Amino acid sequence: SIAIQPKNPWAFHAMCHVMEEERGAKIGIEFLTSHRNDWKDSIISRHIAWHIMLYYLDLNQIDNLFQEFDDMLVPNLSSENSFALLDASAILWRLNVLGIDPGEKRWELVLKP
């Protein structure tokens, strides 16, 4: 699908799951970031970025995860954007479960959008 329509965000979302199950986090990051211009303006761009954050978490690259969070999710956190709030809270919850402090500021952005 990507070969036929390189800006198909749903194909990139499907690839997120393929990379997670079959190829691994490092290859997933390389693939998705190298094609960022093809999906970054789509309706599900923040969710694709969330998958990148999961890959960074898998690789314990927490600074990169925070950078992706701050660049891709924070600008879109509002009470009108429930999908961004869902993805943000899901990644922050995972960090807390693992004993990684995401910082009070990030939680405040989610709790009081």
Side-chain angles (χ1 to χ4, degrees), residues 2 11 15 19 26 31 40 48 56-57 68 73 77 81 86 94 96 100 113:
I2 292 171
M15 289 301 294
M19 295 296 172
K26 185 175 183 221
F31 176 76
K40 70 177 178 142
I48 293 170
Y56 284 134
L57 186 58
E68 191 77 18
L73 286 181
L77 293 176
N81 193 337
L86 176 65
R94 282 171 171 80
N96 277 345
I100 301 167

Side-chain angles (χ1 to χ4, degrees), residues 34-96:
S34 69
H35 290 281
R36 189 181 298 268
N37 287 334
D38 294 326
W39 56 262
K40 70 177 178 142
D41 297 321
S42 74
I43 192 169
I44 60 168
S45 62
R46 292 354 171 215
H47 185 65
I48 293 170
W50 177 79
H51 281 279
I52 294 172
M53 290 178 236
L54 290 180
Y55 300 151
Y56 284 134
L57 186 58
D58 285 349
L59 297 172
N60 201 33
Q61 295 179 7
I62 305 307
D63 289 340
N64 291 336
L65 182 155
F66 286 146
Q67 188 67 52
E68 191 77 18
F69 184 97
D70 294 343
D71 291 348
M72 293 296 293
L73 286 181
V74 168
N76 297 284
L77 293 176
S78 72
S79 58
E80 290 83 33
N81 193 337
S82 58
F83 291 116
L85 289 171
L86 176 65
D87 285 338
S89 61
I91 201 71
L92 295 178
W93 176 81
R94 282 171 171 80
L95 290 166
N96 277 345

